[in-house]
Amino acid sequence: MNEVFDWGGVWDAMPAMLDGLVVALQATLIGYVIALILGLAFALLRRSGSRWVSMPVGFVVEFIRSTPLLVQLFFFFYVLPLIGVSVSPLATGAFALGLHYATYTSEVYRSGIDGVPPGQWEAARALNFSRRRTWTAIILPQAIPRVVPALANYVIAMFKDTPQLLAITVVEMLGAAVAIGSETFRYSEPVAAAGLVYLVVALVMAWLARIVERRFGQVRV
């Protein structure tokens, strides 16, 4: 006999979904900060004049970007404790998300830096700016606003990847839905509840991303 979908079950699952949402947002926020910082570091190191720096960093970036996030989650969760590095599943998941997406944000940063007109570099040299001041006062203030829309999109993608953290025992919304289903033997309603929350939050994030783009996405010269 076919089950009848119960919208009441969706509503009943919402408190657990909201608890899972807090976990998903924590992982997303921490991971996004890591991705922004590490991505910029990767982008700058790949532009190093030393091949001993740029080539190893380039290899690491391509290796991480070319392997699945799920494999990286398993590696950090199961392998690192073997060498004495042990942190909570949530911290492990957030770091893995951040590292994985840092390889993508690094390419976004690189495109922004490459988009700075050559005349800006020449002006910095003409003014005898130090390398550090050239980057902080001229290049990055022009490069980063160019890539704000792309960077904002990655926070949405990262949020939608948080269900993979269930593989390392992080109970976010999908984990909460599975737990409810294992107790009630009805999976449709809690999974639908999780999907609705993911949809609503992703749409809100997209709306906020457009606001950030309009506010900070313009190059000031």
Side-chain angles (χ1 to χ4, degrees):
M1 182 177 179
N2 294 330
E3 290 186 357
V4 177
F5 188 84
D6 180 14
W7 284 103
V10 175
W11 180 254
D12 292 340
M14 281 301 173
M17 295 304 105
L18 295 179
D19 290 339
L21 174 61
V22 172
V23 175
L25 290 176
Q26 287 177 333
T28 301
L29 178 60
I30 297 171
Y32 190 59
V33 172
I34 293 172
L36 290 179
I37 296 173
L38 271 184
L40 181 58
F42 286 153
L44 296 179
L45 290 172
R46 292 190 73 175
R47 293 182 65 90
S48 170
S50 173
R51 296 181 63 185
W52 294 102
V53 174
S54 61
M55 291 184 66
V57 172
F59 172 79
V60 170
V61 168
E62 293 300 328
F63 177 81
I64 295 174
R65 191 168 52 185
S66 300
T67 54
L69 173 60
L70 189 59
V71 173
Q72 295 165 20
L73 286 168
F74 278 125
F75 175 82
F76 288 121
F77 188 70
Y78 291 107
V79 176
L80 291 187
L82 300 179
I83 59 175
V85 180
S86 181
V87 294
S88 69
L90 178 58
T92 301
F95 176 76
L97 279 171
L99 180 62
H100 184 79
Y101 275 92
T103 62
Y104 292 95
T105 59
S106 69
E107 294 303 307
V108 173
Y109 283 124
R110 286 181 66 194
S111 68
I113 293 169
D114 291 341
V116 175
Q120 299 296 312
W121 298 89
E122 296 168 2
R125 286 193 293 269
L127 293 171
N128 201 28
F129 278 12
S130 66
R131 184 175 179 84
R132 178 179 179 181
R133 191 178 180 190
T134 298
W135 280 105
T136 58
I138 297 181
I139 304 305
L140 292 182
Q142 294 185 60
I144 292 178
R146 300 172 189 273
V147 297
V148 164
L151 291 176
N153 286 333
Y154 277 119
V155 71
I156 303 172
M158 188 179 296
F159 174 70
K160 292 190 293 184
D161 268 345
T162 54
Q164 297 192 53
L165 303 187
L166 179 60
I168 58 171
T169 73
V170 176
V171 182
E172 40 64 69
M173 286 185 285
L174 181 61
V178 171
I180 294 172
S182 65
E183 293 175 359
T184 62
F185 300 102
R186 294 181 66 94
Y187 288 90
S188 300
E189 291 82 2
V191 170
L196 285 173
V197 177
Y198 271 113
L199 174 62
V200 171
V201 175
L203 290 175
V204 172
M205 285 182 171
W207 174 67
L208 292 174
R210 287 193 292 271
I211 294 176
V212 171
E213 178 183 349
R214 288 195 297 267
R215 176 66 179 83
F216 301 102
Q218 300 297 323
V219 179
R220 293 175 174 82
V221 295

